[in-house]
Amino acid sequence: MVYLARTQRGILLLLAFSVYSILVKGIPEWLIYLQMVLVICIIGSLFIKYIFEIKEGYLTYQIIFFGWPLYKKVIDPNQINGIKFKRVGWASKCAVIQVRKGINIRIFHFAPENVYIDLLDFAYKNDISIAKSKDYLLLER
């Protein structure tokens, strides 16, 4: 199944507006250019999309910017050390897939919400160790 996540648009727009609105007279010209580059980077990050896919024998994680893949990782079950399920924020769930080589993958704010159930089933089928925090167990109730 394919799961999709996007960047937090509201927070990024607020950040871009606040960075752009802080124009103070008398600041050096290079600082204004640095500020404009920062605003462009923040606005560009609005177009980042994350795709996570659970297949029968592997997981796929992609980061896409304007339709171009920036990062793609295909993970076999034997490359996974374990999966940690955590609570993030007040009422949000998160899963961290710990891989043997490379960067750990953080599954957070993906839609549909059953990504955690499917990831748990994938871990049981492929005999991957699972750790759940106390806070995550409270959210499961």
Side-chain angles (χ1 to χ4, degrees), residues 15-137:
L15 182 63
F17 179 72
S18 64
V19 167
Y20 182 72
S21 66
I22 305 176
L23 288 175
V24 181
K25 293 189 180 212
I27 61 172
E29 189 174 315
W30 65 270
L31 197 57
I32 294 172
Y33 292 128
L34 179 67
Q35 187 177 19
M36 296 307 277
V37 168
L38 183 62
V39 168
I40 290 169
C41 288
I42 291 171
I43 290 173
S45 68
L46 292 172
F47 301 101
I48 293 177
K49 181 170 56 170
Y50 303 92
I51 298 175
F52 180 65
E53 188 173 1
I54 299 176
K55 293 277 186 157
E56 191 64 35
Y58 60 92
L59 304 172
T60 304
Y61 181 76
Q62 293 181 357
I63 301 174
I64 296 176
F65 179 69
F66 278 119
W68 298 319
L70 293 179
Y71 179 77
K72 182 177 181 179
K73 185 159 188 159
V74 178
I75 306 168
D76 293 325
N78 58 4
Q79 294 175 329
I80 299 174
N81 280 340
I83 301 174
K84 287 186 179 180
F85 292 92
K86 300 178 182 181
R87 176 179 171 177
V88 178
W90 184 253
S92 299
K93 296 178 182 179
C94 174
V96 178
I97 302 170
Q98 298 174 328
V99 295
R100 295 190 200 286
K101 273 186 148 180
I103 301 170
N104 293 341
I105 296 174
R106 188 171 177 235
I107 307 300
F108 178 62
H109 274 300
F110 278 85
E113 190 69 24
N114 65 344
V115 63
Y116 306 108
I117 296 168
D118 292 344
L119 192 58
L120 198 60
D121 291 341
F122 178 83
Y124 285 138
K125 287 179 186 175
N126 294 297
D127 198 31
I128 298 171
S129 67
I130 296 167
K132 294 182 181 180
S133 69
K134 290 180 188 177
D135 294 332
Y136 183 86
L137 293 172

